[in-house]
Amino acid sequence: MATLDEITKEKERVGEALARVDAQREKLVSQLSELEAAERVLARYGKNMQPAKMAPARTPATAKKAAAPVRGRGRRATTTAKPAGGMRSSSNLSDQVLALATGKTQQEITAACKNARPNHVGAAIARHKRAGRVEERDGKLYATQPTGTEQRVAI
């Protein structure tokens, strides 16, 4: 019987240790998610700050399951309906901006993009600049890579 009692006590001790480790893991997972949220906020609102390119921390599958019930605030993202073929019938704003970047100013490109908000055009230009597809020289924007129509002609 003494052996059975020792096994039971050891089982309880291991179970308690496991519960402590699990609680600590949950605490660390929540801290990690808070830090990631803070990093996203800093990346969005921080000026001239580029976060160091780091591999994301790997969390075990059980940590992802535990974090799943947390719901974000605000509106849910909506998806837009796409045509059955998967191709859009007209080019999107990003493609229009890239095609218009032929020595025009940002104001000229904004005026040429009908039915588009100026801040959306500015965001598309900024994305192209960050990606290196558009560069600014003397206040005018130039595409550094050929646009889709020019690529087809070159082939």
Coordinates of all heavy atoms in Angstrom, one line a residue, residues 73-82 88:
R73 N -12.3 44.3 -31.2 CA -13.3 45.3 -31.0 C -13.6 45.9 -32.4 O -12.8 45.8 -33.3 CB -12.8 46.4 -30.1 CG -12.6 45.9 -28.7 CD -12.1 47.0 -27.8 NE -11.8 46.5 -26.5 CZ -11.3 47.3 -25.5 NH1 -11.0 48.5 -25.7 NH2 -11.1 46.8 -24.4
G74 N -14.6 46.7 -32.5 CA -14.9 47.4 -33.7 C -15.7 46.6 -34.7 O -16.2 45.5 -34.4
R75 N -15.8 47.2 -35.9 CA -16.5 46.5 -36.9 C -15.8 45.3 -37.5 O -14.6 45.2 -37.5 CB -16.8 47.5 -38.1 CG -17.6 48.7 -37.6 CD -17.9 49.5 -38.8 NE -16.8 49.8 -39.7 CZ -16.8 50.6 -40.7 NH1 -17.9 51.2 -41.0 NH2 -15.8 50.8 -41.4
R76 N -16.6 44.4 -37.9 CA -16.0 43.2 -38.6 C -15.6 43.6 -40.0 O -16.3 44.4 -40.7 CB -17.0 42.1 -38.6 CG -17.2 41.4 -37.3 CD -18.0 40.2 -37.5 NE -17.9 39.4 -36.3 CZ -18.6 38.3 -36.1 NH1 -19.3 37.8 -37.1 NH2 -18.4 37.6 -35.0
A77 N -14.6 42.9 -40.5 CA -14.2 43.2 -41.9 C -15.2 42.5 -42.8 O -15.6 41.4 -42.6 CB -12.8 42.6 -42.1
T78 N -15.6 43.3 -43.8 CA -16.5 42.7 -44.8 C -15.8 42.3 -46.1 O -14.8 42.9 -46.4 CB -17.6 43.8 -45.1 OG1 -17.0 44.9 -45.7 CG2 -18.4 44.1 -43.9
T79 N -16.3 41.3 -46.7 CA -15.7 40.9 -48.0 C -16.5 41.5 -49.1 O -17.7 41.5 -49.0 CB -15.6 39.4 -48.1 OG1 -16.9 38.9 -48.0 CG2 -14.7 38.8 -47.0
T80 N -15.8 41.8 -50.2 CA -16.6 42.3 -51.3 C -16.8 41.2 -52.3 O -16.0 40.3 -52.4 CB -15.8 43.5 -52.1 OG1 -14.5 42.9 -52.4 CG2 -15.6 44.7 -51.1
A81 N -17.9 41.3 -53.0 CA -18.2 40.2 -54.0 C -17.3 40.4 -55.2 O -17.1 41.4 -55.7 CB -19.7 40.4 -54.4
K82 N -16.8 39.2 -55.6 CA -16.0 39.2 -56.8 C -16.7 38.5 -57.9 O -17.5 37.6 -57.7 CB -14.7 38.4 -56.5 CG -13.8 39.2 -55.5 CD -12.5 38.4 -55.3 CE -11.7 39.1 -54.2 NZ -10.5 38.3 -53.9
R88 N -11.2 41.0 -62.1 CA -12.0 42.2 -62.1 C -12.3 42.7 -63.5 O -11.4 42.6 -64.3 CB -11.4 43.3 -61.2 CG -11.3 42.8 -59.8 CD -10.7 43.9 -58.9 NE -10.7 43.5 -57.5 CZ -9.8 44.0 -56.7 NH1 -8.9 44.9 -57.0 NH2 -9.9 43.6 -55.4

